[in-house]
Amino acid sequence: KGGPSPGGGGGVDENYPTPYAIWGIIGANCVVFVMWQNASIRRFMGKNFAISAAGVVKEGRVHTIVTSIFSHYDPVHLGANMGY
């Protein structure tokens, strides 16, 4: 008892807890996506949610190594990454 659903259909199995962490990550990705759409904070987003070697090494924006993981600039990119 407790394995994947028979046939690998990916259905919800009552033996597993609700994946709150997954929903939290999806939510964070969606919030960051909406933030990218706001033109008034686009410069802030570029500095803090996009990664570049110069930004990390020369400017010390090491946090962008993590924050860039949550950046999806267009809906296709967001949807593809949230699909599976």
Side-chain angles (χ1 to χ4, degrees):
K1 205 165 187 138
S5 299
V12 175
D13 186 335
E14 62 275 352
N15 294 317
Y16 290 103
T18 303
Y20 294 111
I22 292 172
W23 288 112
I25 291 169
I26 291 171
N29 280 299
C30 291
V31 167
V32 172
F33 174 76
V34 169
M35 290 171 68
W36 270 111
Q37 307 315 304
N38 185 338
S40 68
I41 62 169
R42 187 101 12 104
R43 174 175 252 166
F44 168 83
M45 295 301 291
K47 283 190 148 242
N48 293 289
F49 286 85
I51 191 169
S52 70
V56 172
V57 177
K58 292 180 181 177
E59 299 171 23
R61 289 186 279 121
V62 180
H63 63 281
T64 60
I65 295 170
V66 175
T67 58
S68 65
I69 295 168
F70 297 97
S71 284
H72 301 85
Y73 195 74
D74 66 35
V76 173
H77 184 204
L78 176 67
N81 284 336
M82 297 300 102
Y84 276 93

